[in-house]
Amino acid sequence: GGAGGTGGARRAPWWLALPGAAVCLALVAAGPVTAWALPTPVFPEPSGRFGVGTGVLELTDQERPETATAAPEDRRTVVVQLWYPARKGAAGGRPAPYLGRTEHEGRVVAGALADYSGLPGFLLDGLPRARTRASYEVPVADGADRFPVVLFSPGLGGVRAQNTAWAEELASHGYVVAGIDHPYDSAAVVLADGRTVRTEVSATGDDAEDERRAARWTAVRAADLSFVRAQLGRIHSGAIAGPLSGRLDTARVVAAGHSIGGGAALQAARQDPEFAAVIDLDGFPHDPAPQPYRQPVLALTQAIGPDTDPDYLPQLTRVLALSSATTYRLSVPGAGHLTFTDAPLYLPPLPSLVGSLGRTEGPRVTAAASLAFLDAVLRPGAGDPAAALSAYGTLAVHRPGS
């Protein structure tokens, strides 16, 4: 799910289209600096005291038919990547490639992301070669701590790994992050049986129809978030095998997402009171019937300018005001829609695409603000995060009853 984009005389909704044409023109103009503009991303070293492990699970909801296919027996399946606090310097782990369990999966996903975004494939060629800061098959951190869990829904057409730098930073500070691939929405999802499920989301150019579609996709994602939350108990109990049995704090689970995924996180929290908090990374709420809910929220927004959808802030503000807890909206100066993802690490440094914060500052601020909020709302006696959040931009705090 990208930002801004112009489609003929009519502007595509800002949450729907990534401006591929702008990138192509910039690259043609850049010529010899293309290599500088299109690096293989280097992921920042996480700052926390833990190493970072990762693993991938496939989960099927036997109660829920897959609405994107005609076969009545199809059940909704999601692919989940976990990033978790690991023993620092543990031997035997292999650095995880970006965008997939293998370089081949990474190439399939990178190609699908380029297709979905209307970008030339070579733009994303470096992604599958990148190595992240997490390792496969490493033991969870020593001790008996039970770690809170942050579930993450990506942008429209986005993929579970699109916020890897953010996930690794949170994991290094004692959180388990679970990024979700939503099949038929995420650009490409490679399933355990070898099948690749391509995206079926697309805009029509008709505002009312696009909003109906966005509401439908958001509802599916909100249900996916709740389903994964409910499965965490099976991971914790060891019913689903993996390194995290006995180590999840299933009473402290956060719904988070970027773009339409952020809207889905808000909707999931409204529908599922078991969620403890929400992080919305520049996401428009598409809930057709927003109701009061009880969770605290952190909403990070891009710098709002003349190209931003004028309905975005009013709608977001209305939804934040429905919480019976304190909500925080942080507008980050110099941020674009993709600032809150890994995109600044590898896309051309064009402000219209990734904001003007440079290669690493956007991912750093996104993670630092998220940690300030999580530590305050999930750890007893941690106090109000407003002072810490104010360091990163313009903060609007909505306290219930005010």
CSV table of all heavy atoms in Angstrom, one decimal, residues 357-390:
chain,number,residue,atom,x,y,z
A,357,LEU,N,13.5,12.0,5.1
A,357,LEU,CA,14.2,11.8,6.4
A,357,LEU,C,15.5,10.9,6.1
A,357,LEU,O,16.2,10.6,7.0
A,357,LEU,CB,13.3,11.0,7.4
A,357,LEU,CG,12.2,11.9,7.9
A,357,LEU,CD1,11.3,11.0,8.9
A,357,LEU,CD2,12.7,13.1,8.7
A,358,GLY,N,15.8,10.6,4.8
A,358,GLY,CA,17.0,9.8,4.6
A,358,GLY,C,16.7,8.3,4.7
A,358,GLY,O,15.6,7.9,4.9
A,359,ARG,N,17.8,7.6,4.4
A,359,ARG,CA,17.7,6.1,4.3
A,359,ARG,C,17.2,5.5,5.6
A,359,ARG,O,16.4,4.5,5.6
A,359,ARG,CB,19.1,5.5,4.0
A,359,ARG,CG,19.5,5.7,2.6
A,359,ARG,CD,19.2,4.5,1.7
A,359,ARG,NE,19.5,4.8,0.3
A,359,ARG,CZ,18.6,4.8,-0.7
A,359,ARG,NH1,17.4,4.6,-0.4
A,359,ARG,NH2,19.0,5.0,-1.9
A,360,THR,N,17.8,5.9,6.8
A,360,THR,CA,17.5,5.1,8.0
A,360,THR,C,16.7,5.8,9.1
A,360,THR,O,16.2,5.2,10.0
A,360,THR,CB,18.9,4.8,8.7
A,360,THR,OG1,19.6,6.0,8.9
A,360,THR,CG2,19.7,3.8,7.8
A,361,GLU,N,16.5,7.2,8.9
A,361,GLU,CA,15.8,7.9,10.0
A,361,GLU,C,14.3,7.5,10.1
A,361,GLU,O,13.8,7.5,11.2
A,361,GLU,CB,16.0,9.4,9.8
A,361,GLU,CG,15.5,10.3,10.9
A,361,GLU,CD,16.2,10.1,12.2
A,361,GLU,OE1,17.2,9.4,12.3
A,361,GLU,OE2,15.7,10.7,13.2
A,362,GLY,N,13.7,7.3,8.9
A,362,GLY,CA,12.3,6.9,9.0
A,362,GLY,C,12.0,5.7,9.7
A,362,GLY,O,11.2,5.6,10.7
A,363,PRO,N,12.7,4.6,9.3
A,363,PRO,CA,12.5,3.3,10.1
A,363,PRO,C,12.9,3.5,11.6
A,363,PRO,O,12.3,2.9,12.5
A,363,PRO,CB,13.5,2.3,9.4
A,363,PRO,CG,13.5,2.8,8.0
A,363,PRO,CD,13.4,4.3,8.1
A,364,ARG,N,14.0,4.3,11.9
A,364,ARG,CA,14.4,4.5,13.3
A,364,ARG,C,13.3,5.2,14.1
A,364,ARG,O,12.9,4.8,15.2
A,364,ARG,CB,15.7,5.3,13.3
A,364,ARG,CG,16.3,5.4,14.8
A,364,ARG,CD,17.4,6.4,14.9
A,364,ARG,NE,16.9,7.8,14.9
A,364,ARG,CZ,16.4,8.4,15.9
A,364,ARG,NH1,16.2,7.7,17.1
A,364,ARG,NH2,16.0,9.6,15.8
A,365,VAL,N,12.7,6.3,13.6
A,365,VAL,CA,11.7,7.0,14.3
A,365,VAL,C,10.4,6.2,14.5
A,365,VAL,O,9.8,6.2,15.5
A,365,VAL,CB,11.4,8.3,13.5
A,365,VAL,CG1,10.1,9.0,14.0
A,365,VAL,CG2,12.5,9.3,13.7
A,366,THR,N,10.1,5.4,13.4
A,366,THR,CA,8.9,4.6,13.5
A,366,THR,C,9.0,3.6,14.6
A,366,THR,O,8.1,3.4,15.4
A,366,THR,CB,8.7,3.8,12.2
A,366,THR,OG1,8.6,4.8,11.1
A,366,THR,CG2,7.4,3.0,12.2
A,367,ALA,N,10.2,2.9,14.7
A,367,ALA,CA,10.4,1.9,15.8
A,367,ALA,C,10.5,2.6,17.2
A,367,ALA,O,10.0,2.1,18.1
A,367,ALA,CB,11.7,1.1,15.5
A,368,ALA,N,11.2,3.8,17.2
A,368,ALA,CA,11.4,4.4,18.5
A,368,ALA,C,10.1,4.9,19.1
A,368,ALA,O,9.8,4.7,20.3
A,368,ALA,CB,12.4,5.6,18.4
A,369,ALA,N,9.2,5.5,18.3
A,369,ALA,CA,7.9,5.9,18.7
A,369,ALA,C,7.0,4.7,19.1
A,369,ALA,O,6.3,4.8,20.2
A,369,ALA,CB,7.2,6.7,17.6
A,370,SER,N,7.1,3.6,18.4
A,370,SER,CA,6.3,2.4,18.7
A,370,SER,C,6.8,1.9,20.0
A,370,SER,O,5.9,1.5,20.9
A,370,SER,CB,6.5,1.4,17.6
A,370,SER,OG,6.1,1.8,16.3
A,371,LEU,N,8.1,1.8,20.3
A,371,LEU,CA,8.6,1.3,21.6
A,371,LEU,C,8.2,2.2,22.7
A,371,LEU,O,7.8,1.7,23.8
A,371,LEU,CB,10.1,1.2,21.5
A,371,LEU,CG,10.6,0.0,20.7
A,371,LEU,CD1,12.1,0.1,20.5
A,371,LEU,CD2,10.3,-1.3,21.5
A,372,ALA,N,8.3,3.5,22.5
A,372,ALA,CA,7.8,4.4,23.6
A,372,ALA,C,6.4,4.1,24.0
A,372,ALA,O,6.0,4.1,25.2
A,372,ALA,CB,8.0,5.9,23.2
A,373,PHE,N,5.5,4.0,23.0
A,373,PHE,CA,4.1,3.7,23.3
A,373,PHE,C,3.9,2.3,23.9
A,373,PHE,O,3.2,2.2,24.9
A,373,PHE,CB,3.4,3.8,21.9
A,373,PHE,CG,1.9,3.4,22.0
A,373,PHE,CD1,1.0,4.1,22.6
A,373,PHE,CD2,1.5,2.2,21.4
A,373,PHE,CE1,-0.4,3.8,22.7
A,373,PHE,CE2,0.2,1.7,21.5
A,373,PHE,CZ,-0.7,2.5,22.1
A,374,LEU,N,4.5,1.3,23.3
A,374,LEU,CA,4.4,-0.1,23.8
A,374,LEU,C,4.8,-0.2,25.3
A,374,LEU,O,4.2,-0.8,26.1
A,374,LEU,CB,5.1,-1.1,22.9
A,374,LEU,CG,4.6,-1.3,21.5
A,374,LEU,CD1,5.6,-2.0,20.7
A,374,LEU,CD2,3.2,-2.0,21.6
A,375,ASP,N,6.0,0.4,25.5
A,375,ASP,CA,6.5,0.3,26.9
A,375,ASP,C,5.6,0.9,27.9
A,375,ASP,O,5.4,0.4,29.0
A,375,ASP,CB,7.9,0.9,27.0
A,375,ASP,CG,9.0,0.0,26.3
A,375,ASP,OD1,8.8,-1.1,26.0
A,375,ASP,OD2,10.1,0.6,26.1
A,376,ALA,N,5.0,2.1,27.5
A,376,ALA,CA,4.1,2.8,28.4
A,376,ALA,C,2.8,2.1,28.6
A,376,ALA,O,2.3,2.0,29.7
A,376,ALA,CB,3.9,4.2,27.9
A,377,VAL,N,2.2,1.5,27.6
A,377,VAL,CA,0.8,1.0,27.7
A,377,VAL,C,0.8,-0.5,28.2
A,377,VAL,O,-0.2,-1.0,28.7
A,377,VAL,CB,0.0,1.1,26.5
A,377,VAL,CG1,-0.2,2.6,26.1
A,377,VAL,CG2,0.5,0.4,25.3
A,378,LEU,N,2.0,-1.2,27.9
A,378,LEU,CA,2.0,-2.6,28.3
A,378,LEU,C,2.8,-3.0,29.5
A,378,LEU,O,2.6,-4.1,30.1
A,378,LEU,CB,2.6,-3.5,27.1
A,378,LEU,CG,1.8,-3.4,25.8
A,378,LEU,CD1,2.5,-4.3,24.8
A,378,LEU,CD2,0.3,-3.8,26.0
A,379,ARG,N,3.6,-2.1,30.0
A,379,ARG,CA,4.5,-2.4,31.1
A,379,ARG,C,4.0,-1.6,32.3
A,379,ARG,O,3.8,-0.4,32.3
A,379,ARG,CB,5.9,-2.1,30.8
A,379,ARG,CG,6.4,-2.9,29.6
A,379,ARG,CD,7.9,-2.8,29.5
A,379,ARG,NE,8.4,-3.4,28.2
A,379,ARG,CZ,8.6,-4.7,28.0
A,379,ARG,NH1,8.3,-5.6,28.9
A,379,ARG,NH2,9.0,-5.1,26.8
A,380,PRO,N,3.6,-2.3,33.4
A,380,PRO,CA,3.0,-1.6,34.6
A,380,PRO,C,3.9,-0.5,35.1
A,380,PRO,O,5.1,-0.6,35.2
A,380,PRO,CB,2.8,-2.7,35.6
A,380,PRO,CG,3.6,-3.9,35.1
A,380,PRO,CD,3.8,-3.7,33.6
A,381,GLY,N,3.2,0.6,35.4
A,381,GLY,CA,3.9,1.7,36.1
A,381,GLY,C,4.9,2.5,35.2
A,381,GLY,O,5.7,3.2,35.6
A,382,ALA,N,4.8,2.3,33.8
A,382,ALA,CA,5.7,3.0,32.9
A,382,ALA,C,5.4,4.4,32.7
A,382,ALA,O,6.2,5.2,32.2
A,382,ALA,CB,5.8,2.2,31.6
A,383,GLY,N,4.2,4.9,33.0
A,383,GLY,CA,3.8,6.3,32.8
A,383,GLY,C,3.3,6.6,31.5
A,383,GLY,O,3.1,5.8,30.6
A,384,ASP,N,3.2,7.9,31.2
A,384,ASP,CA,2.6,8.5,30.0
A,384,ASP,C,3.7,8.6,28.9
A,384,ASP,O,4.7,9.2,29.2
A,384,ASP,CB,1.9,9.8,30.3
A,384,ASP,CG,1.1,10.4,29.1
A,384,ASP,OD1,1.3,9.9,28.0
A,384,ASP,OD2,0.3,11.3,29.4
A,385,PRO,N,3.5,8.1,27.7
A,385,PRO,CA,4.5,8.2,26.7
A,385,PRO,C,4.5,9.6,26.0
A,385,PRO,O,5.4,9.8,25.1
A,385,PRO,CB,4.1,7.1,25.7
A,385,PRO,CG,2.6,7.1,25.8
A,385,PRO,CD,2.3,7.3,27.2
A,386,ALA,N,3.7,10.5,26.4
A,386,ALA,CA,3.5,11.8,25.6
A,386,ALA,C,4.9,12.5,25.4
A,386,ALA,O,5.2,13.0,24.4
A,386,ALA,CB,2.5,12.7,26.2
A,387,ALA,N,5.6,12.6,26.5
A,387,ALA,CA,6.9,13.4,26.4
A,387,ALA,C,7.9,12.7,25.5
A,387,ALA,O,8.5,13.3,24.6
A,387,ALA,CB,7.5,13.5,27.8
A,388,ALA,N,8.0,11.4,25.6
A,388,ALA,CA,8.9,10.6,24.6
A,388,ALA,C,8.4,10.8,23.2
A,388,ALA,O,9.2,11.0,22.3
A,388,ALA,CB,8.9,9.2,25.0
A,389,LEU,N,7.1,10.7,23.0
A,389,LEU,CA,6.6,10.8,21.6
A,389,LEU,C,6.8,12.2,21.0
A,389,LEU,O,7.0,12.3,19.8
A,389,LEU,CB,5.1,10.4,21.6
A,389,LEU,CG,4.7,8.9,21.9
A,389,LEU,CD1,3.2,8.7,22.0
A,389,LEU,CD2,5.3,8.0,20.8
A,390,SER,N,6.6,13.2,21.8
A,390,SER,CA,6.7,14.6,21.3
A,390,SER,C,8.1,14.8,20.7
A,390,SER,O,8.2,15.8,19.9
A,390,SER,CB,6.5,15.6,22.5
A,390,SER,OG,5.2,15.5,23.0
